[in-house]
Amino acid sequence: MRAVIGGVILSAFALAALADAPAQSERPLPRGVSIEAVTPEQTAPRAARRGLAEVLGFSRSNRPTRRPAEASRAPEIAAAARGSVCGIPEIKGVVIPPVRGRGGCGIAQPVRISSVSGVGLTMQPTIDCPTARALNTWVKDGLKPAVGDVGGGVKGIHIVGSYACRNRNNARSGRLSEHARGRAVDIRTIALKNGRQISVLDGWKKREDGRILRRAHAAACGPFGTVLGPNANRFHRDHFHFDTARYRNGSYCR
């Protein structure tokens, strides 16, 4: 009989405890917040705990959110707002959305360049940053020294090709051109500050212009992986083709 009475009493206590228990377990307080600083209403279950969340500055668990795809380009986008791209102040242009094309065509992180090292670019090329940096290096360390003070120095470059989803030499079949990946530029003319133009087509065999063009062509070997000019083939008799393809044996230059 005593055992039965004891069981009844224990059951009553258990029911009372369950009645006072919260609907779900309390979350631990964040570091730096003492229990004395929290009011009874804020420690109450469910709805009252919303007040605690507002006081402590969170409304759900601090689970890290997925980083947006654009976040990795945040420094580059911020620099572009100041007129520079690709992490180099001398490269002026804008960051543009990814370029998507069929097959292997496209550029994941393209930029559109307006000038490099103070030299303006006509038909602003759409390329990737490694190619933009190579172009900047060539203009600064190759083209400008090749021209020197002739005509007052270099003012601009007439670019006739950048991104294009096509095969090499515009063939109907074969391997994709580096243009299809935003890794190439084609240069037809160099503009001087006095208004004179140095054309690859017309100047390659001339004495002064030819000397400048050949020095500029040679200086591109290194910054670029492929350097083609009038001596390469009939497809490049009127322009330089520079791209950032990489080869095991170094740059390919003709």
Side-chain angles (χ1 to χ4, degrees):
M1 185 65 178
R2 290 181 178 177
V4 173
I5 294 172
V8 171
I9 294 172
L10 288 174
S11 297
F13 278 115
L15 289 172
L18 287 172
D20 294 335
Q24 59 187 131
S25 61
E26 298 292 331
R27 294 178 182 174
L29 296 177
R31 292 182 180 178
V33 178
S34 65
I35 191 64
E36 291 81 3
V38 181
T39 66
E41 290 80 5
Q42 292 168 341
T43 57
R46 302 182 72 84
R49 277 205 308 276
R50 295 174 186 171
L52 176 62
E54 294 175 359
V55 171
L56 299 180
F58 64 87
S59 58
R60 57 182 175 179
S61 61
N62 295 323
R63 183 177 298 171
T65 57
R66 181 174 293 180
R67 194 180 190 191
E70 294 79 7
S72 61
R73 302 190 76 189
E76 185 179 338
I77 293 172
R82 299 188 296 271
S84 298
V85 294
C86 300
I88 298 179
E90 292 83 3
I91 302 178
K92 303 299 182 183
V94 294
V95 175
I96 62 175
V99 176
R100 296 180 175 85
R102 57 180 173 79
C105 296
I107 316 175
Q109 297 183 342
V111 290
R112 184 172 293 124
I113 305 302
S114 57
S115 70
V116 290
S117 289
V119 174
L121 308 178
T122 61
M123 201 201 83
Q124 300 178 2
T126 296
I127 50 181
D128 64 8
C129 275
T131 306
R133 287 190 282 264
L135 183 62
N136 182 66
T137 297
W138 173 70
V139 168
K140 179 176 60 176
D141 299 335
L143 179 60
K144 284 185 173 181
V147 173
D149 294 330
V150 175
V154 183
K155 179 181 180 181
I157 300 172
H158 184 199
I159 292 181
V160 293
S162 59
Y163 174 77
C165 185
R166 64 174 176 80
N167 294 323
R168 291 183 177 180
N169 300 322
N170 287 305
R172 299 185 66 178
S173 62
R175 298 180 62 180
L176 279 177
S177 168
E178 292 301 317
H179 285 287
R181 301 180 178 91
R183 300 174 186 167
V185 291
D186 290 339
I187 298 171
R188 179 172 291 171
T189 306
I190 299 166
L192 305 182
K193 291 180 180 179
N194 66 356
R196 190 164 76 84
Q197 306 279 326
I198 298 178
S199 164
V200 173
L201 177 63
D202 298 329
W204 186 254
K205 294 182 179 180
K206 290 182 179 179
R207 183 175 181 180
E208 184 178 47
D209 289 357
R211 176 185 59 81
I212 292 172
L213 290 170
R214 291 170 192 276
R215 287 185 62 188
H217 177 277
C221 295
F224 291 97
T226 307
V227 177
L228 303 176
N231 289 347
N233 52 46
R234 63 186 178 87
F235 298 105
H236 298 90
R237 64 188 182 89
D238 63 349
H239 70 276
F240 290 154
H241 168 92
F242 298 159
D243 70 49
T244 50
R246 292 299 172 193
Y247 305 99
R248 292 181 180 178
N249 296 325
S251 298
Y252 177 80
C253 304
R254 290 193 63 185

